[in-house]
Amino acid sequence: MHLHIDKAYEIIENNLPSNYVDKVMAKIKDETLSSGIIRNIKNRVTKYPNTRINVLNALVEVSKEYQADLNQLKENTKDN
């Protein structure tokens, strides 16, 4: 499990957009979830990933979506 969490953080560190908090909150409908919890999980300053794996998954999803958007932009703007 720890290897998967490390891989998730690698994806997040390389691809997460600056406006990630609202995107994560939109993916997770949880009244107890705060922007602080999301930022703490993203920055690895807390042990939440063990109990908030859904937030870590949402961070990875947002990262992958952002990377896909960047790749599409590169494809759309490359010279023919």
Side-chain angles (χ1 to χ4, degrees):
M1 181 69 163
H2 199 56
L3 181 63
H4 297 293
I5 290 174
D6 289 341
K7 180 65 176 170
Y9 277 108
E10 183 180 317
I11 293 168
I12 291 165
E13 288 171 12
N14 294 327
N15 301 303
L16 195 64
S18 59
N19 60 340
Y20 67 93
V21 173
D22 290 336
K23 292 178 184 240
V24 169
M25 290 186 100
K27 288 184 173 292
I28 302 172
K29 306 296 186 205
D30 182 350
E31 294 177 9
T32 65
L33 183 63
S34 69
S35 57
I37 290 172
I38 295 169
R39 283 191 298 273
N40 285 343
I41 291 172
K42 182 251 182 196
N43 293 320
R44 277 190 135 164
V45 296
T46 183
K47 298 292 183 190
Y48 284 128
N50 294 329
T51 58
R52 292 287 196 158
I53 202 74
N54 61 332
V55 175
L56 192 57
N57 280 327
L59 286 164
V60 170
E61 288 175 17
V62 170
S63 296
K64 287 184 171 186
E65 289 167 1
Y66 181 67
Q67 188 60 45
D69 288 344
L70 285 177
N71 289 339
Q72 184 64 46
L73 179 62
K74 288 177 189 174
E75 184 66 28
N76 289 341
T77 58
K78 79 177 184 182
D79 295 332
N80 291 339

